[in-house]
Amino acid sequence: AQSVTQLGSHVSVSEGALVLLRCNYSSSVPPYLFWYVQYPNQGLQLLLKYTSAATLVKGINGFEAEFKKSETSFHLTKPSAHMSDAAEYFCAVTPGNNDMRFGAGTRLTVKP
Amino acid sequence: GAGVSQSPSNKVTEKGKDVELRCDPISGHTALYWYRQSLGQGLEFLIYFQGNSAPDKSGLPSDRFSAERTGGSVSTLTIQRTQQEDSAVYLCASSPRLAGDRETQYFGPGTRLLVL
């Protein structure tokens, strides 16, 4: 079975600072990994996904994530935070069937 | 093209009443999922459809919850005799059949249910 752990339920950064949201996964088979973003009162929007191609995945809004098999990690980064990045971020894993497991989420706050 | 749509966007009901939540998946998507998101919580899987059949109903929290999907498209989640603990955002997602993308779930905006 697969699972996801997101370290840090809340992360606060200053505008312009590096954003780092951590995600570690557990999977018995090569995983597909995702990051979704949820803005207030909205559904989940796909940021990026890893599907066994390039280990560094670039997504929308300047975000990227690197798949590190040795560390079982898929951390999300953005070089410079913007106020509009404030949202809830969810990491998710699936073995490629219809069973997707989500992390508990990390709320990102961006301070002016 | 249009994304996943859900209706109503908000629903307020009284304890004990039945509610129906609707999901229109992206056209052509064969898989459909329902999740529940309680305040400040992550996503709780409820049920998954492949076509009109539901091979995985393991997440339904009680027999008051049921769901159906007709014509391989629209799905309805029904909650009977609602309780206050049913208050949450109910999210629907769909996935295509295309190789290379079938693992991805595309989400609707959710229905916010409040049971008084």
Side-chain angles (χ1 to χ4, degrees):
Chain A
Q2 65 278 4
S3 65
V4 166
T5 301
Q6 290 185 240
L7 298 176
S9 59
H10 289 87
V11 170
S12 181
V13 301
S14 297
E15 190 173 20
L18 171 71
V19 176
L20 171 60
L21 304 183
R22 299 177 186 273
C23 173
N24 287 88
Y25 70 91
S26 171
S27 181
S28 56
V29 298
Y32 296 88
L33 293 156
F34 303 81
W35 276 99
Y36 286 88
V37 60
Q38 186 178 35
Y39 297 103
N41 299 314
Q42 295 187 27
L44 273 69
Q45 179 181 357
L46 180 66
L47 264 182
L48 50 80
K49 63 180 180 181
Y50 166 76
T51 56
S52 76
T55 56
L56 182 63
V57 182
K58 294 186 183 299
I60 61 172
N61 301 339
F63 283 93
E64 63 183 37
E66 186 172 7
F67 172 70
K68 291 187 176 180
K69 184 177 179 180
S70 61
E71 299 177 8
T72 60
S73 68
F74 191 58
H75 302 330
L76 182 70
T77 60
K78 181 174 180 177
S80 177
H82 192 274
M83 296 296 290
S84 61
D85 294 327
E88 186 94 17
Y89 292 79
F90 292 93
C91 183
V93 62
T94 177
N97 56 15
N98 298 100
D99 184 7
M100 183 175 282
R101 302 298 173 95
F102 289 84
T106 297
R107 181 167 300 278
L108 176 65
T109 302
V110 182
K111 299 175 291 186
Chain B
V4 178
S5 61
Q6 293 185 245
S7 61
S9 54
N10 292 280
K11 177 70 176 178
V12 180
T13 190
E14 295 179 347
K15 177 181 173 182
K17 295 284 182 66
D18 297 352
V19 294
E20 284 190 354
L21 312 180
R22 176 187 169 107
C23 173
D24 280 272
I26 294 172
S27 178
H29 280 199
T30 56
L32 185 147
Y33 311 79
W34 283 99
Y35 294 89
R36 180 168 69 175
Q37 186 178 30
S38 301
L39 186 63
Q41 302 296 310
L43 275 73
E44 176 188 3
F45 169 79
L46 297 179
I47 189 170
Y48 143 68
F49 288 91
Q50 183 65 255
N52 290 335
S53 64
D56 189 351
K57 302 180 182 180
S58 63
L60 294 177
S62 76
D63 58 8
R64 296 187 295 106
F65 287 72
S66 63
E68 65 176 13
R69 188 180 186 195
T70 55
S73 181
V74 173
S75 176
T76 302
L77 176 69
T78 301
I79 309 174
Q80 296 178 308
R81 305 180 303 281
T82 53
Q83 303 294 313
Q84 289 180 333
E85 61 262 29
D86 299 333
S87 297
V89 177
Y90 290 82
L91 292 167
C92 176
S94 67
S95 294
R97 68 170 65 197
L98 296 174
D101 199 25
R102 66 168 67 96
E103 311 83 12
T104 305
Q105 296 185 19
Y106 296 88
F107 282 81
T111 293
R112 284 152 191 78
L113 174 65
L114 177 61
V115 182
L116 300 177

